[in-house]
Amino acid sequence: MQSETREITRTYNGQDQIDLMEMLEDYLRCLKKYWLQLLLVLITVAAATVTYMNYTYSPVYSAKITYAVKKTGDTSVDSSLTRRLSSSVGTITDAPEFRDELSANMADSVPEKSFWFSSQYTDGANLYTISVNSGKYKYVDELLDAFQKIYPSWVDKSNGSVALEIVDITNASATPVNEYSLIDYLVKGILAGLVIVVCLATLYVQTLHTVRKEKDMRKVTSRSCVAVIPDVKIKKRSKSTKSQLLISNKRIDWGYKQSLLSVQSRLDMQMEKNGQKVLLVSSTLPQEGKSHISVNLALAALQNDKKTVIIDGDMRNPSVGRMFGFEGQSLGLSDYFDGKADVEEIMIKSGNLSVISAGTRNGGISGIISDSKMQDLMEYLRRNFDFIVIDTPPAGLFSDADILAKYADTVLYVVRYDHASVKEIQEGMSSFIQNNKLSGYVINQSHGSLSSYGKYGKYGYSKYGHYGHYGKYKRYIKTAEKEMNTEDSL
C-alpha cells in the first residue's frame, strides 16, 4: 500500500510531457460536445463587436502638409533637428496660446475639441509631415491654411531661426480616412468571437480531469489496466427491438466480444494463481457500464467451462435480471436475508450459469444484509461454483460496494471514458486500494483507435434514475428509458 501511494505521488507531482495530438483531440471533443454553445458565443461576441464599433464610429477627415528642414546644410544635423521638430508638434499645437492664435486666423469658430494634430517623421531624412484631423470635413482645409500661417513662427520661438520649406500640401477628401466598412467590422467581430471561443475551449481543456487514457489513471493507482473496451453498437436488424450489449448476442461486434473475453481471461489467470473465486465489479458513478461488464464476464467464464454464478448486489436499482430477461423475479438476495427463501430458491439456473437477483425489497445493502447469512451464502457458492461475480451500486455514491467487498476476493473497477473526474475515481476506489482488494481496472467505452465501433448509450446501458436526488452527482443521472430486452435471455 505504501509503495503504491509513493508511486501515485510521484506521478501526480510529476510534469507530464505535452501531447499535442491529445490536446487536439480535447479541442475537437470540446467542439463536438459544445458546438452549439460555442456557436452562440461566437455569434454573440461578433454581434456585440459590430454593434460597439458602429456605435463608436466617427468619421475622420485629414489634410496634410510636408515640410523640409534646411538650417545647416549638414544632412545629419538637419535630420536630427527634423526629428526634434516632429516630436514637438504635439506640445506646440496643444498650447492654449497656439490654439487662440489659430482661431484668430480663421473666419469660422471651430469647437476646441473637434480637431487635433499629428506628425510623422522618416528616420534619416529632413522631411516631416503634419496632419490636421477633424470629424467635420468643412473645418479641415481652413484649419490647415491657418496652421501653415502661424506654425513657422512658433518653430522659430522654440528652436531659433529654422528655414522650413513646404514640400507638399494635401487637402482633405470628402471620403473619411477611416472609411466605414460593415464587412471589415464583421470580420473583426468574427475574429473577436473566435478568440473568445478558443479561450473558452482552452479553459475546458485545461480543466478537463476525466480519464481517457491509462496514464490518467496513474494519478489514482499503480495497478494495471486490464483492458480498454471500445465504444460499440449492435448490428441491428431492420425490425428488431433494441438489444443488450451481451457477448451472447450474435449481432455484437467481434472486437467488443474479444475485449471482454480478454478481460475474463486475464482475471481468470490472476485469480487461479491466487486461489480466488469471487470477483466484485464496481465503478465510481452510474452509467459507466459496470453491470454490463459483470454480466459479460459471467458469460465469458461459461465459454471456459466454468460453473458460474452472478449476484445482483445493487438492491437500489437492480439490473442484472433485466439484462437476462427475467425482471420482476419474485425471490432474490433480499428475500434470502429476510428468511423468505433459501439459497436454492433464489437461484435461477441455466446450464452452468446461475443468477441471484436483488430480490423483492429495495434499499441500501447495509439495511438488508445479514452478515451470518452472507457468510453462509458465500461458503455455499464457493463450494459449488468456479467463478462468482458480484455486481454492486456505484462506489462513488454509496457504501454498498465497500460492504460487499468484505466477501469478495478481488475487485475489478470500471472507469468509463471521459465520465468521472480523477478525484471522484480516487475517492470511489480508495477503500479497495487500502484493503488491497483491487486487481485492476478497465477503461470502458473508449473513443480511441477503436472509436469506429460507435456509441454504447443507444444499446442497453441501464439508467440510474433512482439515484437522481444525490446532490452533486445529479448531473450524471438521466431519465430512465424503456428497458431493452435481449434475444439471448435465460
Side-chain angles (χ1 to χ4, degrees), residues 2-3 54 59 107 138 147 209 219 229 236 247 272 302 307 313 326 342 344 380 389 426 490:
Q2 291 180 347
S3 62
N54 277 324
K138 62 180 181 179
F147 175 83
H209 299 302
K219 300 173 184 178
I229 300 175
K236 298 190 296 180
I247 60 174
E272 282 192 356
L302 293 180
K307 193 174 182 182
F326 52 82
D342 58 27
E344 292 293 336
Y380 173 86
V389 184
Q426 199 166 30
L490 292 177

Side-chain angles (χ1 to χ4, degrees), residues 32 78 90 96 98 117 140 154 177 188 196 226 252 266 278 293 326 346 359 401 419 456 466 472 485:
K32 183 178 180 180
D78 287 347
F98 180 86
F117 297 88
V140 180
W154 280 82
V177 293
K188 291 180 179 178
I196 298 299
V226 180
I252 290 295
R266 293 180 183 182
V278 185
I293 299 294
F326 52 82
I346 64 173
H419 191 61
Y456 262 133
H466 300 300
K472 66 178 181 178
N485 296 322

Side-chain angles (χ1 to χ4, degrees), residues 5 55 93 102 107 140 149 160 194-195 207 221 231 242 275 339 372 399-400 405 450 466 470 481:
T5 302
Y55 178 76
T93 57
L102 188 70
V140 180
K149 290 177 184 179
L194 287 174
V195 169
T207 57
T221 179
D231 211 3
K242 293 181 179 179
S372 61
S399 62
D400 299 40
L450 297 174
H466 300 300
Y470 283 88
E481 296 178 350

Side-chain angles (χ1 to χ4, degrees), residues 262-280:
S262 174
V263 173
Q264 203 282 332
S265 177
R266 293 180 183 182
L267 289 173
D268 186 45
M269 290 176 60
Q270 179 179 328
M271 293 176 71
E272 282 192 356
K273 179 180 178 181
N274 297 324
Q276 298 171 337
K277 285 189 175 184
V278 185
L279 174 71
L280 182 141

